[in-house]
Amino acid sequence: MATLRLHSLTATSEKIPTSPFVPSSRVLSASFHCNEKRVSRRMTINAMGGGAKYKGTQMREKQLSEMIEKKVTEAKQVCEGDETSDECRVAWDEVEEVSQAKANLRLRLEVEKKDPLESFCLENPETEECKVYDD
Amino acid sequence: MAVCPVYTTQSLNSTCSISTPSKTHFSSHHNHLVFYRTSKRTSKRGGSSSCVITCSAGDSQTVVIGLAADSGCGKSTFMRRLTSVFGGAAEPPKGGNPDSNTLISDMTTVICLDDYHSLDRTGRKEKGVTALDPRANDFDLMYEQVKALKSGIAVDKPIYNHVSGLLDPPELIKPPKILVIEGLHPMFDERVRDLLDFSIYLDISNEVKFAWKIQRDMAERGHSLESIKASIEARKPDFDAFIDPQKQYADAVIEVLPTQLIPDDNEGKVLRVRLIMKEGVEHFSPVYLFDEGSTISWIPCGRKLTCSYPGIKFSYGPDTYFGHEVSVLEMDGQFDRLDELIYVESHLSNLSTKFYGEVTQQMLKHADFPGSNNGTGLFQTIVGLKIRDLYEQITASKTAAPLQATKA
């Protein structure tokens, strides 16, 4: 498991962006500098290795990523006609909603290091969702 | 002499709403209710009708805190810092819906106001309203349930599932000692506002919001700078119309702005954070620097303390905010080292800490949380301590008042 986390109070050199959505993580800032977006994503996922433990959570992450992509495309289409229309605003609001949901999940996994399905899977270990995800 | 935490029959009627047989959760309410006659004590007091019945649900009335923020729920590092001040970690309800937005710890329960959406994602699309629009939210239900929880009655609260965009079956919420309602509209409805013992508004400036959302979303396949910008722009009209006006009602506003220490900085890494505290709020005494009510500008870095670029700058002073008297404490810059934090803490007053260094200790406990090296983390921690102080004052006054009544 990648332990590239900085304790910001003890670090002296690198200034890490202090967004409330993104934990102080060297990996995430490294991903901005990679030319290959795919490579950077893989780097990010590997670093998150300590995160998604259950298959259900991994599926949720994937689902949310796909939703973001889909809804951004939808929003762009809807807004082509009229940027100030209700439909356009609602479409971008949906993008925000799923982006935030994805970020929350990521934050939960990386900062709290707890899979949201933890207590559910303790009670229902035999379900599909609760298969342990091998990194 | 007898320390008897009982209520007069008068207060009993107001805190324990027993005359509500229509409430579906009468049974859970019942569990919290203990009626007994303290006959021994009453006879000593000459059989006065005052010391008769106690109601444990009304014993520690739930303190309700409102937090307005446009960053979804359950994420909140603010919430985590707050619950940590009270001890214990806040976790989603065990064994329930894994997509629940609720967080529960020993003392606190955090409810996400998105759960009171009256329209799910499809419904909002049909009606052409965003989640920011009041028309997408059921304020009647919000008011009823917050009121019930405040009076010690458990509720079946709906769950809004942010992944599916649907309203899931409700979950049971038991009245906690401290209830935090977090979301877009905690102070929108006047009735809900009146139930709040303390309210906070997290005011992020546009530039900082943009920088944070870039950091949040750029790693996502679907996003680009344009899409992030477009999303913020599209939500802005509703945000300005419905969410922003709530800040005038807040007891404390945490304003996050770009730094003034670095000219033309647009990266949003170094932040200028202002803690705007309303004067005259019951059980809340604003934090101050050096001399309460005066105007101070302070750069702690110098001979005693060495800081790296861009350093730290504090200011404090009285001001008015939407017609209210306020005190504003401001921090611009970043903490690099532990000793900077201790040094700063030792110069602030009215922190409501229980021991010297408590702020520093809390910050260190969550050093990996975002904002731990700047004003956001510092002021969130301080507000957490203030809320603890407020809670203790309220519960102390709740037990003190009846004693005085019985003495009379």
Side-chain angles (χ1 to χ4, degrees), chain A residues 50-69:
Chain A
K53 183 173 164 191
Y54 297 105
K55 187 168 176 207
T57 303
Q58 186 220 346
M59 277 162 45
R60 252 192 196 86
E61 279 186 289
K62 191 159 159 244
Q63 184 191 359
L64 282 168
S65 288
E66 284 167 6
M67 275 169 81
I68 293 174
E69 214 178 343

Side-chain angles (χ1 to χ4, degrees), chain A residues 5-48:
Chain A
R5 189 173 312 284
L6 282 184
H7 286 263
S8 45
L9 286 177
T10 52
T12 46
S13 45
E14 191 165 330
K15 294 285 184 279
I16 303 298
T18 50
S19 152
F21 309 112
V22 174
S24 309
S25 163
R26 228 178 228 159
V27 171
L28 285 164
S29 35
S31 72
F32 297 160
H33 301 118
C34 284
N35 291 327
E36 269 304 317
K37 250 195 171 167
R38 281 216 188 135
V39 170
S40 68
R41 248 188 320 115
R42 210 182 311 129
M43 278 173 65
T44 319
I45 288 170
N46 281 342
M48 288 200 295

Side-chain angles (χ1 to χ4, degrees), chain B residues 111-117 137-149 155 157-158 179 181-189 191-193 195:
Chain B
I111 282 181
C112 174
L113 291 178
D114 286 349
D115 289 336
Y116 293 110
H117 278 335
N137 299 283
D138 188 348
F139 289 105
D140 288 337
L141 185 62
M142 190 192 293
Y143 166 61
E144 272 169 38
Q145 295 205 333
V146 174
K147 182 165 165 222
L149 286 167
V155 300
K157 179 193 61 63
L179 175 69
I181 59 171
E182 174 193 7
L184 293 165
H185 306 97
M187 297 170 263
F188 185 85
D189 185 287
R191 302 164 297 175
V192 179
R193 241 175 14 236
L195 293 171

Side-chain angles (χ1 to χ4, degrees), chain A residues 9 15 17-21 60 65 67 69 89 93 96-97 99-100 102 104 106 112 114 119, chain B residues 71 73 80 91 99 121 124 131 160 212-213 215-216 220-221 223 235 238 334 336 370 373-374:
Chain A
L9 286 177
K15 294 285 184 279
T18 50
S19 152
F21 309 112
R60 252 192 196 86
S65 288
M67 275 169 81
E69 214 178 343
R89 282 189 281 129
D93 190 43
E96 168 64 24
E97 191 189 350
S99 302
Q100 186 59 57
K102 176 88 206 289
N104 286 353
R106 224 188 307 132
E112 299 198 324
K114 258 185 230 145
S119 66
Chain B
S71 359
C73 305
R80 292 186 167 84
E91 305 194 344
D99 291 315
R121 207 178 281 156
R124 294 197 302 269
Y160 177 77
W212 281 358
K213 293 207 170 166
Q215 288 163 24
R216 185 191 76 180
E220 287 300 328
R221 200 168 39 212
H223 269 298
R235 293 174 87 243
D238 277 358
Q334 292 186 157
D336 271 327
N373 64 345
N374 61 40

Side-chain angles (χ1 to χ4, degrees), chain B residues 188-201:
Chain B
F188 185 85
D189 185 287
E190 196 184 343
R191 302 164 297 175
V192 179
R193 241 175 14 236
D194 288 341
L195 293 171
L196 301 176
D197 293 294
F198 194 74
S199 54
I200 306 144
Y201 184 95

Side-chain angles (χ1 to χ4, degrees), chain A residues 95-125:
Chain A
V95 169
E96 168 64 24
E97 191 189 350
V98 291
S99 302
Q100 186 59 57
K102 176 88 206 289
N104 286 353
L105 181 57
R106 224 188 307 132
L107 200 78
R108 236 188 210 174
L109 292 172
E110 289 182 11
V111 176
E112 299 198 324
K113 300 204 182 65
K114 258 185 230 145
D115 193 304
L117 284 176
E118 191 76 50
S119 66
F120 174 79
C121 287
L122 278 173
E123 313 263 320
N124 310 280

